Amino acid sequence: MKLELPDGACLEVPDGATGADAAAAIGPGLARAALAIKVNGEVRDLARPLPDGAAPHRIEVLTDRSGEEALAVIRHDCAHVLATAVMELYPGVKISIGPAIEDGFYYDFDFPEGVSLSDADFEAIEARMRRHIEADEPFERQDVPVGEALERFRSEGQDYKVRLIEDLVREQGVETVSLYTNGPFTDLCRGPHAPSTGRIRAFKLQSVAGAYWRGDSSQPMLTRVYGTAFFSRSELEQHLERLERARANDHRRLGPQLGLFAFSEVSPGAAFWLPAGTEVFNALVSLSREMGRERGYLEVKTPQIYDSSLWQTSGHWDKFGGNMFVTEYEDRQMAVKPMNCPGHCKLYSLERHSYRDLPLRYWEPGLLHRREPSGTLHGLLRVRHFAQDDSHIFCTEEQIQDEVAAAIEFAFATYRIFGLDVRLELSTRPEVRLGSDALWDRSEAALMEALESQGLAYDLNPGDGAFYGPKVDMHMTDSLGRSWQLGTVQLDYNMPQRFDLAYTGADNAEHRPVMIHRALMGSYERFIGILIEHFAGELPLWLAPVQAIVLPIADRHLEYAGSVVGRLRAGGLRAELDRRGESIARKIREAELRKIPYLLVVGDREAESLPDRPQVSVREHHGGERGAMPLEELIGELAERVRSRSIG
């Protein structure tokens, strides 16, 4: 059997050889370090025979240096060890599923009546898990007939395993299933697994949550235990430290604490923006408007509610109907818009256009509504009511490259303002899509050509395009090392065709425009949530809702403090006066907690300064005392930082 290694070298092993045999043939050190083997892109157990076939199989032996794929293997191992420990400590528990997930793993359990689990139980469970890890119990795979597996799990009272197998038979017609055994525990599982439990070197149980079986609220509520695992104690500790920082930075905690927004059950999934938060929101909309105007974008305003015929024309009624708020009025079925693109297509169609009008760049910070399930709502990051910095560009075929390049330049210019570095990802045709393969070939090639003509590096993400066209997504990594998808540029031949859009060409004939969907911040809500967490609530001066607060030491200083606030506001700064009769120490402490960038203390010395040269005592948030300085000098300095949108 011929194998191709990652460096292109060839390796020959006997027919029937396993992944472990292949690792040993490469070298004894690799054989000892091997966790699993990737064969033609599929990660498999080392103990499984390599697949038959004449063509050389591409293989890669995974070790603890193989990154996320190797981590996923040991995290899956850890989920099985968790289930082993729970079944020993809680007789009668029924087990569901236990996959590896991003940053860890979980396992779902159905405990006997009267038994519940909390974080307080983790110490005992972890101690039992360590026993099985130290015992270095092998993971052994067995492929058995469906009937045998059903009989086994029925006899053990493991109803969820029985249902899983029955679903596999009904949906996929399987005749055999794989079981994995480690120590006293046997589970229905596809694998893969490492050779033994001893490969798990550092783990931690993290939280307990409720989860419906199969995510269906009509099904039983199970207890989900989350955990994580790493190859070393230091990696685990670094991860836990990042999680602690993430909890401290959580926008759901900081937002209300800083007086930016709140949520209420009277409108779940919709933020109530307080005055301070509205300042932040409006500052971002103003940024979009200003930068867009410089680049030839035209602001438009389109309706909130449309007849269902519009959504049927666009294709969203079938594809996205379950996520739309639908109502009826005067015997017409209507829907609140979940996106702007069909409305912008309709707007384009209401006027005649010449090739001289193109490219036509519509922009609308439009309000949108989506029926997101309650369980998916997450602060500002996943909401039902939001606004996007949404644009749709109508252009000729010949203008595609320039317009895509310009949209990406716009994105990079926007992110630079916040000090964000981004990477690009090109997502191609999904399995369920509109339009012919020829149309997709054309649109994918156009996007690739636009990226490559600008010398822009990008990752390929096959199958993740929008249902109407391929897209370029922009991803950033925040201060906690987490990746976020921000903006997107999408090329669409389908929507103009479905709406029968046209422009008159130089030849006086009608032609079909191409449509480019473009959002850079995504939704303003989500972008603000990301910024709050990235900056730990300490927004840059230009974006801070209150840029300076004036703190009079005593009531006799209130009049002077008020005049300072007036001058700050006249200089274009967002300033506030703390009129309370609290001690100056308390005022400073509370202003620091609000993360206000500049604290201006005024007392006798400042109040007695010359009228034409007023003084303030300046304190920067986290920057310490700057001492007394002329007010006009400070206003000039801060106004310049706001004007330049400095993040320093």
Side-chain angles (χ1 to χ4, degrees):
M1 183 185 303
K2 292 184 179 180
L3 306 175
E4 182 183 324
L5 304 182
D7 63 2
C10 287
L11 177 73
E12 288 197 19
V13 295
D15 289 342
T18 64
D21 294 330
I26 297 170
L30 184 62
R32 288 191 297 272
L35 292 167
I37 187 167
K38 187 157 69 169
V39 184
N40 300 329
E42 177 194 5
V43 180
R44 299 162 60 99
D45 303 334
L46 289 169
R48 291 182 67 187
L50 297 169
D52 296 330
H57 297 297
R58 296 184 303 278
I59 69 162
E60 179 186 352
V61 178
L62 302 186
T63 70
D64 59 8
R65 297 183 179 183
S66 300
E68 292 298 322
E69 287 180 311
L71 272 175
V73 173
I74 64 155
R75 287 169 176 168
H76 191 186
D77 295 349
C78 212
H80 279 234
V81 174
L82 166 62
T84 308
V86 169
M87 289 187 73
E88 289 180 336
L89 293 171
Y90 301 90
V93 68
K94 298 181 189 295
I95 57 173
S96 174
I97 59 171
I101 56 174
E102 185 178 2
D103 287 339
F105 62 87
Y106 69 79
Y107 213 110
D108 288 345
F109 301 98
D110 188 353
F111 287 94
E113 189 172 348
V115 177
S116 62
L117 202 69
S118 73
D119 296 8
D121 300 303
F122 285 174
E123 187 176 346
I125 297 171
E126 288 176 344
R128 184 59 65 97
M129 290 174 68
R130 280 191 287 273
R131 280 198 215 172
H132 290 286
I133 291 169
E134 290 164 3
D136 199 20
E137 297 162 347
F139 283 97
E140 297 175 336
R141 177 185 173 115
Q142 184 182 14
D143 293 319
V144 302
V146 162
E148 182 180 329
L150 285 170
E151 184 179 348
R152 174 182 187 132
F153 288 117
R154 283 188 182 122
S155 69
E156 295 174 354
Q158 294 298 341
D159 305 338
Y160 297 100
K161 297 299 176 182
V162 170
R163 291 172 70 178
L164 285 168
I165 295 170
E166 289 174 342
D167 287 347
L168 287 171
V169 172
R170 182 176 61 257
E171 295 169 7
Q172 301 178 26
V174 301
E175 297 181 354
T176 62
V177 293
S178 54
L179 308 180
Y180 278 84
T181 299
N182 55 285
F185 176 61
T186 298
D187 200 1
L188 173 73
C189 179
R190 290 178 300 182
H193 285 281
S196 66
T197 58
R199 300 301 185 94
I200 304 167
R201 296 175 197 154
F203 74 94
K204 180 72 177 172
L205 300 184
Q206 295 172 289
S207 62
V208 177
Y212 291 112
W213 163 251
R214 290 287 175 89
D216 184 346
S217 59
S218 67
Q219 296 292 330
M221 174 69 81
L222 306 179
T223 299
R224 176 169 293 179
V225 179
Y226 287 98
T228 192
F230 285 87
F231 288 117
S232 70
R233 174 60 54 181
S234 64
E235 288 176 313
L236 174 61
E237 288 172 353
Q238 289 169 17
H239 175 73
L240 296 177
E241 183 182 339
R242 282 195 300 272
L243 289 180
E244 190 57 40
R245 286 174 59 204
R247 276 191 285 272
N249 292 5
D250 193 325
H251 76 282
R252 293 170 298 176
R253 182 181 73 84
L254 285 176
Q257 177 184 310
L258 298 175
L260 300 178
F261 59 83
F263 286 93
S264 169
E265 277 306 305
V266 301
S267 185
F272 284 75
W273 290 97
L274 300 167
T278 304
E279 289 281 6
V280 176
F281 193 100
N282 288 343
L284 292 178
V285 174
S286 295
L287 176 66
S288 299
R289 182 173 286 120
E290 176 188 319
M291 296 182 73
R293 188 179 293 123
E294 293 169 353
R295 290 165 171 80
Y297 284 82
L298 303 173
E299 186 168 354
V300 298
K301 194 170 179 62
T302 54
Q304 284 290 108
I305 300 175
Y306 295 92
D307 188 274
S308 61
S309 61
L310 179 94
W311 307 109
Q312 289 163 357
T313 299
S314 70
H316 287 95
W317 195 257
D318 294 330
K319 174 70 178 177
F320 208 79
N323 294 87
M324 298 166 72
F325 288 100
V326 178
T327 186
E328 286 192 13
Y329 185 67
E330 295 181 345
D331 297 325
R332 297 176 69 182
Q333 200 167 30
M334 316 283 284
V336 182
K337 66 177 177 182
M339 68 279 298
N340 291 305
C341 32
H344 286 185
C345 286
K346 188 64 183 176
L347 179 64
Y348 179 96
S349 74
L350 296 177
E351 297 181 298
R352 292 187 60 83
H353 298 282
S354 157
Y355 72 98
R356 298 179 186 276
D357 302 326
L358 305 184
L360 184 60
R361 306 180 186 101
Y362 290 152
W363 173 73
E364 178 177 11
L367 296 177
L368 306 173
H369 292 79
R370 293 183 184 177
R371 275 178 48 184
E372 301 285 1
S374 298
T376 67
L377 299 177
H378 184 85
L380 296 177
L381 303 182
R382 191 75 175 265
V383 289
R384 290 175 176 159
H385 165 86
F386 58 98
Q388 282 188 314
D389 66 325
D390 209 6
S391 177
H392 296 94
I393 303 165
F394 299 90
C395 64
T396 68
E397 187 101 24
E398 295 74 27
Q399 293 168 335
I400 289 174
Q401 280 198 38
D402 287 344
E403 289 304 306
V404 170
I408 293 173
E409 177 278 326
F410 192 170
F412 278 92
T414 300
Y415 304 143
R416 272 197 302 273
I417 291 171
F418 302 94
L420 306 178
D421 293 323
V422 297
R423 64 177 180 84
L424 303 179
E425 186 176 77
L426 173 60
S427 298
T428 56
R429 69 194 74 187
E431 189 172 330
V432 179
R433 57 186 182 268
L434 297 176
S436 66
D437 285 343
L439 210 57
W440 278 86
D441 289 342
R442 214 161 89 210
S443 53
E444 288 172 354
L447 268 191
M448 287 182 190
E449 195 173 341
L451 290 169
E452 290 166 6
S453 68
Q454 299 299 311
L456 296 169
Y458 63 90
D459 298 320
L460 196 61
N461 184 21
D464 201 40
F467 75 98
Y468 48 75
K471 59 179 181 168
V472 177
D473 289 332
M474 293 85 170
H475 298 260
M476 60 81 75
T477 301
D478 71 5
S479 59
L480 298 177
R482 301 169 302 181
S483 180
W484 300 93
Q485 193 256 308
L486 296 177
T488 187
V489 176
Q490 305 172 356
L491 186 59
D492 185 359
Y493 284 89
N494 281 295
M495 206 74 73
Q497 183 174 320
R498 295 176 75 91
F499 279 91
D500 195 25
L501 303 184
Y503 68 90
T504 304
D507 57 359
N508 213 32
E510 284 203 339
H511 300 268
R512 184 84 65 211
V514 181
M515 184 176 180
I516 297 172
H517 306 243
R518 188 240 67 189
L520 304 184
M521 298 182 195
S523 81
Y524 290 106
E525 284 80 357
R526 183 171 176 271
F527 193 67
I528 290 171
I530 291 169
L531 289 180
I532 290 171
E533 299 197 2
H534 177 62
F535 289 115
E538 298 177 11
L539 297 173
L541 177 67
W542 72 270
L543 194 55
V546 178
Q547 293 162 334
I549 185 168
V550 181
L551 309 175
I553 292 176
D555 285 353
R556 66 180 178 274
H557 306 126
L558 274 171
E559 183 179 349
Y560 178 73
S563 71
V564 170
V565 170
R567 293 199 184 204
L568 289 165
R569 290 175 176 169
L573 298 169
R574 295 189 287 272
E576 185 179 296
L577 172 61
D578 188 338
R579 295 178 172 275
R580 299 175 304 158
E582 304 289 352
S583 69
I584 191 62
R586 181 163 186 174
K587 289 179 179 179
I588 290 172
R589 184 169 62 253
E590 292 183 1
E592 288 281 5
L593 288 174
R594 290 174 63 191
K595 304 181 188 293
I596 297 173
Y598 282 86
L599 286 59
L600 311 185
V601 178
V602 296
D604 289 337
R605 183 179 59 185
E606 290 76 23
E608 293 167 3
S609 60
L610 297 173
D612 61 343
R613 193 169 170 78
Q615 299 276 315
V616 288
S617 182
V618 181
R619 180 188 181 98
E620 292 185 21
H621 176 62
H622 280 338
E625 300 285 353
R626 286 183 57 179
M629 66 182 297
L631 176 58
E632 295 307 319
E633 182 181 321
L634 178 67
I635 289 173
E637 175 189 324
L638 300 190
E640 173 56 27
R641 288 184 55 197
V642 169
R643 186 199 63 76
S644 65
R645 295 193 175 97
S646 164
I647 64 168

